[in-house]
Amino acid sequence: MIFCYENYKLFEEGSWLYKPVKTVMEQLSLLKGKRDIRVLDLGAGVGRNSIPIANELKHSARKVVCVDLLPSAIEKLSRYSKEYDVEEVIELENSDITDYQIKQNEYDYIVAVSSLEHVASESIFDSVLKKMAAGTKDGGLNCIIVNSEVEETDIQTNERLDALMEVNIKTEDMIGKLRSFYNGWEVVKEQVKPLKYKIVRNDKEVLLKTNAITYVVRNR
Ligand SMILES: C[S@@+](CC[C@H](N)C(=O)[O-])C[C@H]1O[C@@H](n2cnc3c(N)ncnc32)[C@H](O)[C@@H]1O
């Protein structure tokens, strides 16, 4: 999967980087009153969510750790953190989510938006979920947005293509997996949104269909 941050500026109107994900931001109200808040953003990209989180929690956050595989994303995130004056709380980790050691019982809030499906296999996906759960404090939250049942079709020929998604499983199975890993946690939000959009792959227009799953849980 290729992530392109070259053509868009963070928070540029009309681009996918225009705004943070609403659900991600909404959960911050559940952290109200806490001090020394620690946040982890897995596959943070250029900071579409982590910069606004850091900004919102500026006076109560100890750190917002941003993990991304792409050096170019981390470089941009570093620049944006200065531009938006949150560099004191942002910590950058240029690493694969797979290898990133999540400290046990460390975080108040762990976010993973459209990133977990890009780890190399389903068993790695499972091990990351386990580490996320173990890394969350009592009362802490996990917010996962993950694609499922992704289909790609060549718009001109109508030919079905191999979806370029490393972990691409049925929506029902993904939900079952999330429910079972977070068994005993309070479910704050569970939603499936069917989405369709046009992308360009190898100069071809491709229709990408996905069921985007939003899953927010609280450790209790
Ligand atoms: C679709 S973007 C989403 C970025 C960000 N979460 C957001 O909502 O704007 C996915 C990001 O995950 C990163 N990524 C993909 N696979 C990864 C992996 N195995 N380890 C770390 N980062 C990864 C990509 O480099 C990319 O920046």
Side-chain angles (χ1 to χ4, degrees):
M1 191 89 189
I2 298 157
F3 299 98
C4 185
Y5 296 115
E6 297 313 314
N7 302 329
Y8 302 108
K9 253 191 98 181
L10 186 62
F11 308 136
E12 186 174 71
E13 206 169 339
S15 88
W16 71 280
L17 293 172
Y18 177 36
K19 278 183 182 173
V21 174
K22 203 167 158 222
T23 301
V24 170
M25 297 306 291
E26 278 170 357
Q27 308 317 317
L28 296 179
S29 64
L30 299 175
L31 300 175
K32 257 203 183 124
K34 287 188 191 276
R35 294 177 57 80
D36 285 340
I37 295 174
R38 291 157 200 234
V39 181
L40 175 63
D41 187 358
L42 294 172
V46 296
R48 174 171 69 127
N49 299 305
S50 34
I51 299 241
I53 291 173
N55 193 39
E56 187 99 2
L57 298 177
K58 219 169 172 181
H59 303 294
S60 44
R62 171 168 293 189
K63 58 181 181 183
V64 178
V65 181
C66 304
V67 178
D68 205 287
L69 186 65
L70 268 187
S72 63
I74 292 291
E75 274 160 34
K76 287 204 155 106
L77 215 168
S78 167
R79 263 196 276 134
Y80 289 133
S81 71
K82 293 183 184 104
E83 190 177 325
Y84 289 93
D85 200 19
V86 288
E87 60 180 308
E88 266 171 39
V89 279
I90 295 273
E91 258 182 50
L92 302 171
E93 294 284 347
N94 188 194
S95 161
D96 192 313
I97 294 168
T98 313
D99 307 320
Y100 184 70
Q101 296 301 318
I102 304 177
K103 267 199 209 153
Q104 294 233 352
N105 210 16
E106 171 80 356
Y107 292 99
D108 298 283
Y109 192 22
I110 303 182
V111 176
V113 176
S114 313
S115 55
L116 297 184
E117 57 274 56
H118 300 296
V119 297
S121 68
E122 198 176 332
S123 63
I124 292 176
F125 183 100
D126 293 355
S127 71
V128 173
L129 282 187
K130 229 190 218 168
K131 286 194 277 182
M132 288 170 67
T136 309
K137 290 183 194 166
D138 262 1
L141 294 148
N142 282 190
C143 174
I144 296 169
I145 298 183
V146 64
N147 288 294
S148 63
E149 274 180 42
V150 181
E151 284 178 20
E152 294 186 14
T153 315
D154 184 317
I155 290 177
Q156 236 182 2
T157 62
N158 222 17
E159 182 196 352
R160 256 301 272 284
L161 307 168
D162 280 338
L164 284 190
M165 202 63 71
E166 291 76 354
V167 177
N168 188 15
I169 63 177
K170 281 189 165 176
T171 307
E172 196 188 301
D173 294 346
M174 182 58 90
I175 288 187
K177 187 191 281 298
L178 292 167
R179 285 184 184 155
S180 113
F181 269 93
Y182 289 102
N183 186 21
W185 291 44
E186 175 195 350
V187 178
V188 177
K189 182 167 184 175
E190 184 186 300
Q191 188 186 59
V192 178
K193 238 196 222 168
L195 298 174
K196 269 189 207 174
Y197 40 94
K198 263 195 215 165
I199 56 169
V200 176
R201 220 187 268 304
N202 304 328
D203 297 327
K204 282 189 207 160
E205 281 207 310
V206 170
L207 181 70
L208 191 148
K209 278 210 252 170
T210 171
N211 285 331
I213 300 172
T214 299
Y215 196 71
V216 183
V217 276
R218 177 148 54 171
N219 193 2
R220 56 172 182 204

